[in-house]
Amino acid sequence: MKIALLGYGKMGKVIEKIALERGHEIVLKKSSDGSFSNLNTADVAIDFSTPDAAVCNISECLHTNIPIVSGTTGWLAQYDEMVALCEEKKGAFIYGSNFSLGVNLFFELNNYLAKMMSNFNQYQVSMEEIHHTQKLDAPSGTAISLANGIIENSAYENWTLDNPNEKQIPIDAKRIENVPGTHTVFYTSTVDTIEIKHTAHNREGFALGAVIAAEWLVGKKGVFTMKNVLGL
């Protein structure tokens, strides 16, 4: 499989390593100011760029009829626009706030726990996410996905980084050197706390999931998520 890497930072380099180990070929390594030369020779593109570059990268792939997997977060105000473009061009697109197998299982656990806890009003939900200091967006896309999972399965209506009202989930976003990603969901009452937590030890779990998603996407048409890839 020929892969175009759109974004060649730390994640891009780990994805390259995993892809080569799995027998794939890298035909384009594009940095933020690089060109799309050789994009049309790729079977699939993987975007781990920046919030400012992601929409351009996804749009270029869809216009070029290249399936695109994007793990860049912080650009979701234009997600519906990219979905519409994918449908218009009859393309193939996967966005994931986190491609780690463990995190996607954690998403399912989070949804189940939120549904179960929705009848117990004595518990208040809060969240904490910790990432490395180079992460550009806060809260993380993974934290937003977790919050949305709770909102869909409870009476909560939104999340906030500031002082919450009773319908908002407070998220504490911390930036600490060399932390790949830690996410914790708390249900706290006056007598106890229930918490679920996912801790990433390195970037390889994210990279492997992205490459698996790219392998799965080739030959398909439509807009998908990691739930489709993993059959969850």
Side-chain angles (χ1 to χ4, degrees):
M1 191 170 74
K2 295 180 179 180
I3 299 174
L5 293 180
L6 307 181
Y8 195 59
K10 291 179 180 178
M11 269 299 300
K13 291 178 173 65
V14 179
I15 289 170
E16 178 183 34
K17 172 179 175 291
I18 297 279
L20 294 174
E21 288 173 353
R22 294 174 71 88
H24 304 308
E25 178 185 353
I26 307 300
V27 295
L28 170 62
K29 293 182 278 191
K30 180 186 177 296
S31 59
S32 58
D33 57 351
S35 75
F36 288 101
S37 61
N38 288 338
L39 177 63
N40 61 353
T41 68
D43 298 310
V44 66
I46 300 177
D47 166 66
F48 273 82
S49 56
T50 64
D52 291 337
V55 172
C56 176
N57 290 342
I58 296 164
S59 178
E60 184 70 22
C61 288
L62 293 173
H63 280 289
T64 314
N65 198 30
I66 303 297
I68 171 73
V69 172
S70 178
T72 305
T73 59
W75 62 272
L76 288 187
Q78 292 174 273
Y79 175 75
D80 290 343
E81 180 184 334
M82 292 299 99
V83 168
L85 180 62
C86 181
E87 292 170 348
E88 176 192 337
K89 297 296 181 181
K90 296 181 170 56
F93 173 41
I94 292 176
Y95 165 74
S97 60
N98 196 309
F99 282 91
S100 159
L101 171 61
V103 165
N104 281 276
L105 294 171
F106 190 64
F107 286 154
E108 296 302 302
L109 176 62
N110 175 65
N111 293 348
Y112 184 82
L113 180 59
K115 191 179 300 183
M116 186 167 63
M117 296 298 293
S118 63
N119 293 323
F120 298 93
N121 296 329
Q122 64 268 43
Y123 288 92
Q124 301 300 309
V125 179
S126 62
M127 294 172 50
E128 178 188 79
E129 62 101 337
I130 309 171
H131 280 87
H132 50 86
T133 52
Q134 290 77 41
K135 186 162 181 62
L136 299 178
D137 54 317
S140 67
T142 301
I144 292 172
S145 293
L146 289 165
N148 286 339
I150 296 167
I151 291 163
E152 289 166 9
N153 292 285
S154 71
Y156 286 94
E157 296 176 354
N158 209 337
W159 56 265
T160 180
L161 291 169
D162 301 314
N163 296 324
N165 62 41
E166 62 180 12
K167 294 293 186 179
Q168 293 177 315
I169 302 166
I171 301 177
D172 185 9
K174 298 179 178 178
R175 297 294 173 259
I176 300 172
E177 284 289 344
N178 301 319
V179 177
T182 301
H183 295 85
T184 311
V185 179
F186 303 93
Y187 287 84
T188 304
S189 75
T190 58
V191 296
D192 59 9
T193 297
I194 299 167
E195 67 180 72
I196 56 173
K197 180 178 183 179
H198 179 273
T199 303
H201 301 309
N202 52 54
R203 290 183 171 87
E204 291 200 2
F206 311 129
L208 176 60
V211 174
I212 288 172
E215 293 168 348
W216 183 91
L217 187 61
V218 170
K220 294 182 173 64
K221 300 293 182 185
V223 178
F224 304 98
T225 69
M226 278 301 282
K227 288 186 72 167
N228 301 116
V229 176
L230 299 174
L232 295 173

